[in-house]
Amino acid sequence: MKKRLFLLFLTSLLLLIACQETPAVRPTRTPDPNAATAVPLETATPLPTSTPAPTPTPDPFTVGTNGFPWWNDLVFYEIFVRSFYDSDGDGIGDLNGIIQKLDYLNDGDPSTTDDLGVTGIWLMPITVSPSYHGYDVTDYFTVDPEYGTNEDFLRLMEEAHTRGIRVIVDLVMNHTSSAHPWFIESQNPDSEYRDWYIWADENPGYRGPDGQVVWHNSASGYYYGVFWSGMPDLNYENPNVTFEMFDAARFWLEEMNVDGFRLDAIKHMIEEGEGQQNTPSTHEWLQEFHEFYKAVDPDALTVGEAWTGTQQVVDYTGDEVDIAFQFFLAEDVLNSANSGLAPIYADTFQEVYDAFPANQYATFITNHDQNRVMSQLDEDEGKARIAAAILLTSPGVPFIYYGEEIGQMGMKPDEDIRLPLQWASNGPQVGFTEGTPWRPAADDFPVRSIERQTSDPDSLLSLYRDLIHLRNEHEALRVGDWTLVESGSPRLLTFLRQTENETVLVIINVNRNAVPAEDYSLELGLAGEWTAVSLHGLTPTNNPTNSGYVPFDEIPPQSVHVIQLAP
């Protein structure tokens, strides 16, 4: 109770002092005069029985459709800034590069369809760090000069918001870099920063949750770091640490105009002896953090990374983070696409759907910590199309890892799943830079690039564009209920998405073999008469009946079909 009262006092204090300096010493940086400055699927043509009416796309800066939070109307795109686009020829992607390429993501004109159509961006770490990836922070308040300046970031926010794109940034609170001034000071046993980290005079001897070494030796004792020695964990039993992290969150929300955060490694926030994940103290701290950032900006979004089972993820959602990533569900998107068996995904999704408040979870296929989609799917584009279709027609808030939309390859080590985005296939610079890329492009750049796919209606990129725009236009695909439809065939993933205003039927053949009419029958459970209108894929040959609906004579292999059902 005392701790809770103190944190409530801390929240009030930070909101009162707003932009004033905190008592903690922050690293300072002399401005760099050379730093970057701002620079001025199925493609069958639908033959509907009537013109399908898109439901209105809401303004992403107000409440979302049907009273849902605004994030339920978005499709997010995860960007590793170093690898997205280089604006100044130094071989490293930067914030100005993102600004220059925003129209690829969304040009701000809902009447056009040649942009990708995403309405949210997640930026991987952009603050000062000694590493290429940025997850070991040395300054929470300054953009890394390799990426630009704080002023560049503010311009990016303005340009993104003008296009209707929300932006969230990675906030890494579990640990800092071992090069952070706080940690350097903490190595002195007499320093006021000693208990900003977790120190022991003798090695406690136990290992981490995955059997890894977590106690690291130094000249002044052993310190705890769950990931590695270069990332010492912060000690949240010390209220000064909480104060500083709350202020960092306030800074990015109030002064840098972000729309929220992706919170890294939340299950490891506070250890309780050998209990190193999902501890009661972690949940208590995150509840206080939730109260704080909602007091700063009630509309701010947090997306949590808790790589754990569904029921444990539920415990983080609602009063700790707004939504959290569904890792096991992502695995089964790939497993269904790989095996050609729909129940693998359907069963896992039913568990997620039943466990969470409606639509309050983040969905994805892979991210920056995993081998890329196409590499896990044996370079089979048909399988990649199925994975995309499942992601973009199912409930939740979908996140797309950059390059996923063109099937870019990548296998660990981590650097090789974070390679430069392949804008072009005309050489090793891949349209990413006029200089030498910070790391060589993936081997598939001659055959896979945005340039090669953008005008091809049969390309993977075109499928992503089509389905994202379709989701943007139809509320049932964004926030509708989900009902699994029995089909009689394990090759078919079939479900209804429904709101009070719209009903949509999704049919996905996840298999490499076609499904003839005699092998399936859809039990829709809809009373009355309905008219079937094709939104994507094949045109239905008939309208639904009370039972046993067979809309096509044959469902082609690895195909997706979206049908609006009008009463």
Side-chain angles (χ1 to χ4, degrees):
M1 178 61 70
K2 289 182 179 179
K3 180 178 179 182
R4 180 175 178 84
L5 289 173
F6 173 79
L7 288 174
L8 287 172
F9 168 76
L10 188 60
T11 297
S12 300
L13 180 62
L14 274 172
L15 289 171
L16 284 172
I17 66 175
C19 299
Q20 297 177 17
E21 285 291 325
T22 71
V25 175
R26 295 184 189 153
T28 58
R29 177 175 295 275
T30 302
D32 180 359
N34 297 316
T37 56
V39 292
L41 247 203
E42 276 39 43
T43 57
T45 302
L47 297 173
T49 55
S50 62
T51 303
T55 51
T57 303
D59 179 346
F61 299 100
T62 61
V63 68
T65 299
N66 296 343
F68 280 95
W70 58 262
W71 48 83
N72 284 118
D73 286 316
L74 271 59
V75 176
F76 277 91
Y77 188 85
E78 178 188 357
I79 293 178
F80 182 41
V81 179
R82 182 173 296 268
S83 288
F84 188 69
Y85 186 71
D86 170 25
S87 71
D88 57 12
D90 66 356
I92 295 172
D94 46 52
L95 297 177
N96 285 321
I98 298 175
I99 293 171
Q100 290 182 21
K101 293 294 188 179
L102 277 177
D103 282 351
Y104 164 74
L105 299 175
N106 191 324
D107 62 11
D109 183 352
S111 68
T112 62
T113 57
D114 54 352
D115 57 351
L116 191 57
V118 297
T119 43
I121 293 173
W122 156 25
L123 297 180
M124 289 170 62
I126 58 171
T127 53
V128 181
S129 166
S131 70
Y132 84 94
H133 53 74
Y135 281 100
D136 47 346
V137 179
T138 58
D139 180 354
Y140 284 94
F141 298 85
T142 306
V143 168
D144 194 309
E146 288 189 321
Y147 293 162
T149 65
N150 284 23
E151 289 71 26
D152 292 331
F153 183 84
L154 287 169
R155 181 167 176 260
L156 170 60
M157 291 302 306
E158 181 180 1
E159 293 286 346
H161 284 170
T162 297
R163 291 166 174 80
I165 302 173
R166 294 265 198 169
V167 180
I168 64 173
V169 297
D170 243 306
L171 185 60
V172 186
M173 299 189 293
N174 177 71
H175 51 265
T176 70
S177 168
S178 58
H180 197 294
W182 302 340
F183 184 75
I184 293 171
E185 288 287 334
S186 80
Q187 294 178 72
N188 176 357
D190 298 325
S191 169
E192 63 178 301
Y193 290 97
R194 183 67 169 183
D195 67 349
W196 285 49
Y197 297 86
I198 304 166
W199 285 92
D201 294 334
E202 302 293 333
N203 187 351
Y206 59 82
R207 288 182 171 261
D210 299 315
Q212 75 273 33
V213 172
V214 293
W215 287 99
H216 310 285
N217 194 14
S218 80
S220 63
Y222 290 83
Y223 63 92
Y224 180 86
V226 72
F227 291 108
W228 72 297
S229 60
M231 292 179 174
D233 277 41
L234 287 161
N235 175 22
Y236 282 98
E237 295 298 326
N238 182 337
N240 288 324
V241 176
T242 293
F243 188 98
E244 189 71 10
M245 285 302 154
F246 278 25
D247 196 35
R250 181 207 57 77
F251 171 81
W252 284 95
L253 289 171
E254 286 191 345
E255 299 183 36
M256 304 303 286
N257 301 328
V258 299
D259 298 298
F261 306 105
R262 180 263 189 182
L263 301 182
D264 183 66
I266 59 172
K267 71 176 184 177
H268 297 294
M269 289 294 295
I270 302 179
E271 295 70 35
E272 296 179 0
E274 294 187 38
Q276 299 167 69
Q277 54 185 354
N278 304 318
T279 64
S281 296
T282 290
H283 287 290
E284 180 183 350
W285 191 92
L286 286 169
Q287 287 168 10
E288 298 296 341
F289 179 71
H290 183 270
E291 290 181 16
F292 173 76
Y293 79 77
K294 290 297 187 184
V296 176
D297 181 357
D299 293 327
L301 165 68
T302 55
V303 186
E305 182 208 24
W307 200 327
T308 187
T310 296
Q311 293 304 318
Q312 290 174 311
V313 176
V314 171
D315 291 341
Y316 287 102
T317 305
D319 62 347
E320 299 178 29
V321 296
D322 294 300
I323 56 176
F325 287 107
Q326 292 301 303
F327 282 88
F328 293 171
L329 182 64
E331 290 175 11
D332 281 342
V333 172
L334 292 171
N335 288 336
S336 269
N338 250 329
S339 66
L341 296 173
I344 296 174
Y345 170 80
D347 291 348
T348 302
F349 184 75
Q350 188 71 63
E351 178 187 358
V352 170
Y353 185 78
D354 292 341
F356 283 84
N359 298 311
Q360 301 313 301
Y361 37 86
T363 57
F364 69 108
I365 309 174
T366 65
N367 67 15
H368 62 276
D369 286 325
Q370 300 163 301
N371 292 332
R372 283 187 170 273
V373 171
M374 191 67 86
S375 295
Q376 293 196 54
L377 296 179
D378 306 318
E379 300 186 50
D380 186 324
E381 186 170 309
K383 293 179 179 179
R385 295 170 74 86
I386 290 309
I390 293 174
L391 175 70
L392 294 170
T393 59
S394 295
V397 183
F399 284 71
I400 300 166
Y401 186 41
Y402 82 98
E404 211 162 79
E405 73 272 24
I406 58 170
Q408 186 167 320
M409 300 281 288
M411 297 282 287
K412 284 177 176 281
D414 285 350
E415 293 87 341
D416 288 343
I417 54 178
R418 305 168 185 173
L419 296 178
L421 180 58
Q422 292 158 200
W423 293 95
S425 295
N426 56 355
Q429 294 170 312
V430 295
F432 159 74
T433 181
E434 294 181 357
T436 301
W438 73 273
R439 195 166 177 87
D443 291 341
D444 65 340
F445 80 82
V447 295
R448 290 193 182 95
S449 67
I450 292 168
E451 180 185 64
R452 278 188 174 274
Q453 295 189 28
T454 193
S455 298
D456 179 0
D458 296 325
S459 69
L460 183 61
L461 175 57
S462 289
L463 176 67
Y464 268 91
R465 279 193 305 228
D466 292 347
L467 293 181
I468 293 170
H469 281 277
L470 198 66
R471 190 180 182 101
N472 291 343
E473 293 168 359
H474 292 275
E475 69 174 42
L477 292 175
R478 298 192 305 273
V479 300
D481 295 339
W482 181 88
T483 304
L484 185 66
V485 172
E486 293 297 328
S487 70
S489 171
R491 300 175 185 176
L492 297 182
L493 176 63
T494 50
F495 53 88
L496 289 171
R497 301 293 312 279
Q498 292 176 285
T499 65
E500 289 185 2
N501 304 313
E502 186 179 31
T503 297
V504 168
L505 170 65
V506 178
I507 301 170
I508 304 174
N509 182 355
V510 305
N511 202 275
R512 62 176 65 250
N513 297 301
V515 179
E518 59 267 24
D519 287 351
Y520 80 97
S521 178
L522 305 182
E523 300 300 324
L524 300 181
L526 298 175
E529 296 183 357
W530 297 78
T531 299
V533 180
S534 176
L535 299 179
H536 180 89
L538 297 178
T539 301
T541 58
N542 55 73
N543 292 320
T545 56
N546 290 334
S547 64
Y549 183 41
V550 181
F552 312 120
D553 294 336
E554 180 180 85
I555 302 176
Q558 296 175 323
S559 62
V560 56
H561 313 275
V562 183
I563 302 169
Q564 187 181 61
L565 300 178

